[in-house]
Amino acid sequence: MGVVVERDPLRLAWKTSPFRHFVGFSLLALAGLLILVGFDLVRVVVDRATGGAGGWNAPASFLRIAISPPAGLWPEPIVLFPGVLLGPEAFALASIVGILLIPVLLGLILIGFEWLVVGIGLRMLTKTQSAALDVILKVPSASHDEIAVVTALAARGLARESGVLGSSLLMPVKLGGMIGLACAYVFVMDWHLGAALALVLALGAIVSARRSLLRFDATAARHREGDEAEGVFAELEHRIPALRAHGTAPYERNRVREALVLSHRPVMKWEYRLALAEAATAAVLMIAPLSVLALGAWFSQTRPVTAGTVAACVLAAALAAYGTREVVQWHRLTLRARALLIDLGRGLGPLKLRAALKGKAALPESGALVAQGVSAYDPASGARVSSVNLTLAFPSHVALVGDGDAGPRLLAALMSGQIPPSLGRLTYGGIDLSAADPVERSRRIAFSGNTVLIEGSLRDNLLYGASAPESELDHRLSEAIAVAGLDRLTHARGLSGTIDPAREPKFAAAIVEARRAVQAALAAEQLDRFVDPFSAMRYNRYATIGENLLFGKPIGDSFQEDRLSSHPFVRAILEANELTKPLARMGLSIATSMIEIFSDIPDGSPLFERFSFFSAADRPYFQDLVDRKNEQRRSDQTSRDRGRLIGLALRYNESRHRLGLLEAGLEEQILVARADFARMLPVSLKSSIEFYDEERFCAAASIQDNLLFGRIAADQAGALESVQEVTRRVLTQRGLDGEVSRIGLDTPIDPHGDDLTLSEVAAVDLVRGLVRRSSILVVQRALDGLPGPAADKLVVNLRRALVGRGLILVTPSISPAMDQPPFDAVIHFERGEPVMDRRTRTLEALSA
């Protein structure tokens, strides 16, 4: 079947992007030509500067390229390029400018080279991760441990090595070409110097390789030392009770010290060797250019070796020495990348084989679900079924009922193909479920029971896995929401959402018009007592002190609740209206009450996070503040304390918190401060808040606030449900209910499900299964947490929606309402064993 990914980074790089490598080789060739020209310009300039070849006063050919072989082999130089004949001044200027320009050109070439490397690395990373992803998506669900290892290698491992992978082929060519060009140039200039350089570089490569190996050994020794030291200290921790009882601290100190010194000795040995190797490598690589310089100076006494030739050869030798050091280090990195690819290939190989063996068959639209001697065990729940034999013809409606729900849920997971049986065979329409393609299986048998929420809107979550034309999806979604009972949720989320009036002016105007109708309907049904309307002249009982002060919704961060007390303009308004001290006293009372109420509640408790005025991180601060105030100690941060206390007071709502701290006189002062806030607000801050206006839509407020133009009573039972029922009826009459639900579907959802109840989370997965219109729907957790009437209604809706299609329902019990008409089969679990009770039903009755 072949390998999943190429395990050699060099071959993988070439196969991934051959064209980019051709371009990279071309850039390296151009860079090599520039390096040779640079060497020759150094030779010419140094020769001219030292008086050779007639000095700067003699004309010469610029960029003349010639090879001078040994005189015994070829007496005359071999001219490869005659160059351009220039005068003395022009030649001098061209040579100096050329020497300075070549590094700039090399830098530009290397920029393009690095861009190529980054592109190749990205393509290699994408290709390898895609290969891993293809296998992971097809592998059976039982391979969790293998998938965890593979995903770690494909994610963190490949991301760490992507730079090495991208340059795995180009970098050796770059470094090897640099070393080869430098050595070839020195050989051409003088083969004695070239031979000496080659010898030193070979020795340097050996020493550098030895240094790399010693680094591995030293690192391994340090890890072993850490493990041994951890064991020594663990033993010491185990002996502490005896140490304190018998006073053996001196003995234990000596024992631990000796053990630590003994464990460090191997590390010292490897570090000494590594230090010698480091010094030897540095010395040998420094000797490379120096040996060329020394030999060149020595040969100049008896051989025609010019100063420029020696200087150019020294520069080439230094470049070759640098390349030798880098190529050894790069080889080490390549070995690490190769090891990663080998591990990834080994991990993916068995998974790909398993996916190839299980995942080819297509399931029919209908057929019999047959279990033959099926046994399975779920380690997560501890549930077990054994020797199950049953035959269920679909489409039919089946209920799984048992003593405890572990057995029914395990059987439902088996029937939907979520887990394979450990023994026996489970088929649908004659096709083994474990051999079916996972995507095809989910289309035929939808499973609802293990909700995984994703980043995105509520709509994104409900349509996760669905594929159909947009108009068809919208129709299916509206039906599924109604069946699952999520219409109230979508409507409520829509009411809490916001819109941009500039983008939806008609809808915003319609909400303002519906405002009067809602107020009239509430008054007609005597429900207006549940809403305290916004009025510039009245204090709103169901809003916080800060909200009453602003009488509007903040835009941006300036007037957000957590920053309100520290804003200079707000502080000035409070000070001018003599509210600073009363609010600080109120804040102190709130802090004192919170400290007392939650004294026995731990920081991580949801109760504390939900009802306390401050976070767990701020609890010590307010505890200390309350203690200081009770002891009448002056604080070094009086202004900061006052600001924090005022912040607590601004979040206070008498109807919700009920601490009896808000008096009528203080309400009047806040109303005066509200008027001053609106009247004196600087022009620079006007864009930071949108004030309430009965004739306008407030874009920063929720649709519910705009509809009611007020707040729902938080201290009266049933107020929220009653008011929302009236608003929904008015919106439906005006054709606006669908728009509100659309906004609710577009609201973002918390992927952890903190903004949903458990039953709503389960309903999300149920909607996913209904939208896909599968042949069989397996419903596992949709009834969890629902009261009896709600559970009955949901099952009735499901059975009506699934007329002509299959349903497998996990339920703790079957009520009479659920069983009308009777289920085709009910599988009871008695002492953990499934027992089938076959029924008969009339399909027409379900559509009644």
Side-chain angles (χ1 to χ4, degrees):
M1 57 175 279
V3 295
V4 177
V5 294
E6 176 60 62
R7 304 185 186 189
D8 186 348
L10 301 182
R11 288 198 297 267
L12 178 61
W14 175 254
K15 292 178 180 179
T16 300
S17 186
F19 176 74
R20 290 175 184 247
H21 281 87
F22 275 124
V23 176
F25 295 150
S26 301
L27 290 177
L28 290 178
L30 182 58
L33 179 61
L34 287 175
I35 289 174
L36 290 177
V37 171
F39 289 159
D40 205 56
L41 284 177
V42 169
R43 177 185 64 81
V44 171
V45 169
V46 173
D47 280 343
R48 296 282 175 151
T50 56
W56 291 113
N57 296 323
S61 295
F62 182 67
L63 295 181
R64 180 177 182 270
I65 302 176
I67 300 176
S68 299
L73 298 177
W74 197 273
E76 297 295 331
I78 301 174
V79 179
L80 301 178
F81 180 67
V84 180
L85 185 63
L86 298 175
E89 294 184 1
F91 181 80
L93 180 62
S95 299
I96 298 300
V97 172
I99 287 179
L100 297 177
L101 186 60
I102 281 178
V104 177
L105 295 176
L106 284 174
L108 295 175
I109 290 174
L110 290 178
I111 289 176
F113 178 81
E114 292 299 329
W115 283 351
L116 280 174
V117 166
V118 171
I120 294 171
L122 176 61
R123 296 192 66 176
M124 293 176 68
L125 179 65
T126 304
K127 180 178 180 180
T128 308
Q129 288 181 336
S130 297
L133 179 62
D134 290 340
V135 176
I136 291 171
L137 293 177
K138 294 179 180 179
V139 77
S141 58
S143 309
H144 293 302
D145 294 338
E146 298 96 324
I147 290 176
V149 173
V150 168
T151 52
L153 292 174
R156 188 181 298 110
L158 285 176
R160 187 182 64 236
E161 301 295 342
S162 61
V164 178
L165 293 173
S167 54
S168 56
L169 181 55
L170 288 175
M171 189 60 71
V173 174
K174 172 188 171 183
L175 296 175
M178 184 170 64
I179 297 170
L181 281 177
C183 291
Y185 182 82
V186 177
F187 265 106
V188 169
M189 292 296 101
D190 191 291
W191 72 271
H192 296 89
L193 299 181
L197 175 62
L199 180 62
V200 175
L201 290 180
L203 181 59
I206 295 172
V207 176
S208 295
R210 177 60 179 165
R211 181 198 59 182
S212 297
L213 293 176
L214 287 174
R215 279 185 176 177
F216 280 115
D217 294 337
T219 301
R222 293 190 191 99
H223 290 166
R224 287 194 297 271
E225 178 192 17
D227 294 338
E228 293 176 6
E230 184 179 3
V232 170
F233 280 105
E235 177 64 19
L236 176 63
E237 182 181 0
H238 175 69
R239 296 187 182 190
I240 283 179
L243 179 152
R244 292 172 178 170
H246 303 293
T248 57
Y251 166 77
E252 291 295 337
R253 182 182 296 108
N254 293 332
R255 183 186 68 83
V256 171
R257 187 177 298 166
E258 291 176 2
L260 294 178
V261 170
L262 185 64
S263 66
H264 187 65
R265 285 178 183 173
V267 177
M268 291 179 61
K269 180 183 70 173
W270 290 112
E271 286 183 342
Y272 283 143
R273 293 182 181 179
L274 179 59
L276 291 175
E278 292 277 5
T281 301
V284 170
L285 295 180
M286 288 176 64
I287 287 173
L290 295 178
S291 64
V292 171
L293 176 62
L295 290 175
W298 177 263
F299 291 151
S300 65
Q301 302 177 41
T302 58
R303 296 169 53 83
V305 180
T306 66
T309 300
V310 174
C313 290
V314 169
L315 179 60
L319 194 63
Y322 167 77
T324 301
R325 179 185 178 91
E326 290 297 312
V327 78
V328 172
Q329 292 182 351
W330 184 255
H331 179 66
R332 179 171 58 87
L333 296 176
T334 305
L335 289 178
R336 191 176 67 187
R338 179 181 283 108
L340 172 66
L341 292 177
I342 290 174
D343 290 342
L344 183 59
R346 288 174 178 171
L348 286 175
L351 294 182
K352 184 177 181 182
L353 179 61
R354 200 174 308 174
L357 295 176
K358 300 180 179 181
K360 297 292 186 180
L363 295 177
E365 292 187 6
S366 61
L369 184 66
V370 179
Q372 298 174 332
V374 170
S375 298
Y377 171 71
D378 182 14
S381 63
R384 184 191 304 274
V385 294
S386 59
S387 302
V388 176
N389 294 282
L390 58 86
T391 300
L392 298 171
F394 284 96
S396 60
H397 290 185
V398 179
L400 306 182
V401 187
D403 47 352
D405 59 359
R409 288 184 177 176
L410 177 58
L411 185 57
L414 281 167
M415 290 178 170
S416 60
Q418 298 300 304
I419 60 173
S422 53
L423 292 174
R425 190 165 180 259
L426 189 63
T427 63
Y428 177 68
I431 305 299
D432 195 326
L433 280 181
S434 62
D437 176 68
V439 176
E440 178 69 17
R441 187 202 66 221
S442 67
R443 289 175 181 170
R444 296 287 179 251
I445 307 176
F447 177 76
S448 167
N450 190 16
T451 310
V452 177
L453 300 176
I454 62 173
E455 291 280 354
S457 66
L458 179 59
R459 178 190 297 273
D460 295 333
N461 276 271
L462 295 176
L463 294 179
Y464 181 63
S467 59
E470 189 67 26
S471 58
E472 175 66 17
L473 276 181
D474 290 340
H475 175 67
R476 292 186 186 181
L477 181 59
S478 61
E479 287 187 349
I481 288 175
V483 171
L486 278 183
D487 44 351
R488 286 185 175 272
L489 172 68
T490 57
H491 188 267
R493 291 177 72 92
L495 290 176
S496 64
T498 59
I499 64 168
D500 183 0
R503 297 180 60 183
E504 301 184 67
K506 292 183 179 180
F507 182 60
I511 292 295
V512 174
E513 291 180 7
R515 177 184 297 167
R516 300 178 185 86
V518 169
Q519 292 171 344
L522 290 173
E525 299 185 26
Q526 298 182 349
L527 297 176
D528 52 342
R529 69 184 187 279
F530 287 156
V531 178
D532 193 1
F534 294 135
S535 172
M537 307 305 296
R538 292 178 60 251
Y539 187 94
N540 193 292
R541 295 170 295 160
Y542 304 116
T544 65
I545 292 178
E547 290 171 332
N548 272 283
L549 177 66
L550 296 181
F551 194 65
K553 295 294 290 186
I555 301 173
D557 297 332
S558 297
F559 295 124
Q560 289 297 328
E561 185 179 70
D562 56 343
R563 300 186 179 188
L564 196 58
S565 62
S566 61
H567 196 282
F569 177 69
V570 175
R571 293 294 295 270
I573 292 294
L574 296 178
E575 191 70 36
N577 288 274
E578 299 182 353
L579 282 169
T580 302
K581 290 183 179 179
L583 291 180
R585 287 195 297 269
M586 179 185 290
L588 180 61
S589 298
I590 293 172
T592 303
S593 299
M594 293 299 104
I595 294 298
E596 292 176 356
I597 292 172
F598 295 103
S599 60
D600 297 327
I601 304 297
D603 289 344
S605 170
L607 191 65
F608 181 84
E609 296 295 334
R610 181 176 179 182
F611 294 104
S612 179
F613 273 72
F614 43 79
S615 66
D618 290 334
R619 186 187 221 173
Y621 170 80
F622 284 106
Q623 176 73 63
D624 178 69
L625 190 152
V626 170
D627 292 342
R628 284 189 278 111
K629 294 294 183 180
N630 291 338
E631 297 174 11
Q632 297 183 348
R633 289 189 281 126
R634 296 188 60 85
S635 171
D636 296 333
Q637 297 178 327
T638 304
S639 177
R640 178 176 180 242
D641 290 345
R642 185 180 296 117
R644 298 294 295 273
L645 292 175
I646 291 174
L648 295 183
L650 292 177
R651 292 196 288 272
Y652 181 72
N653 182 334
E654 181 65 55
S655 65
R656 183 165 68 244
H657 300 122
R658 302 184 183 183
L659 297 179
L661 301 177
L662 189 61
E663 300 175 353
L666 187 58
E667 290 183 1
E668 293 298 327
Q669 285 182 272
I670 293 170
L671 291 177
V672 174
R674 172 197 291 179
D676 290 346
F677 181 92
R679 178 171 50 85
M680 302 172 65
L681 185 68
V683 176
S684 60
L685 293 176
K686 288 186 181 297
S687 61
S688 299
I689 187 170
E690 185 175 6
F691 294 109
Y692 292 125
D693 185 344
E694 192 169 4
E695 302 301 323
R696 296 176 59 251
F697 185 92
C698 182
S702 68
I703 292 178
Q704 177 169 281
D705 284 353
N706 273 283
L707 270 173
L708 300 176
F709 200 69
R711 289 291 172 83
I712 299 177
D715 56 352
Q716 299 188 48
L720 178 63
E721 293 78 7
S722 299
V723 172
Q724 285 189 347
E725 183 178 348
V726 172
T727 57
R728 184 169 187 180
R729 185 169 67 247
V730 172
L731 290 172
T732 302
Q733 293 171 353
R734 291 174 169 262
L736 299 175
D737 190 54
E739 288 297 308
V740 173
S741 296
R742 171 185 62 82
I743 295 169
L745 288 172
D746 290 337
T747 55
I749 200 170
D750 183 0
H752 301 292
D754 292 340
D755 56 347
L756 300 174
T757 65
L758 292 178
S759 58
E760 289 170 347
V761 170
V764 168
D765 217 35
L766 179 59
V767 170
R768 291 172 178 173
L770 289 168
V771 168
R772 292 208 304 274
R773 298 280 178 92
S774 56
S775 302
I776 302 174
L777 177 61
V778 180
V779 181
Q780 192 184 80
R781 295 183 180 272
L783 304 183
D784 291 1
L786 291 179
D792 291 345
K793 182 179 179 181
L794 177 58
V795 174
V796 170
N797 290 343
L798 275 174
R799 298 193 65 191
R800 285 178 178 172
L802 295 174
V803 170
R805 287 187 287 156
L807 170 65
I808 299 176
L809 176 69
V810 175
T811 176
S813 61
I814 301 178
S815 67
M818 295 180 186
D819 205 27
Q820 292 299 323
F823 281 92
D824 294 291
V826 176
I827 300 178
H828 294 276
F829 277 75
E830 299 176 359
R831 294 183 295 278
E833 296 296 328
V835 179
M836 180 179 293
D837 175 19
R838 293 192 178 276
R839 310 281 194 85
T840 59
R841 64 170 177 143
T842 305
L843 290 177
E844 291 76 7
L846 285 172
S847 59

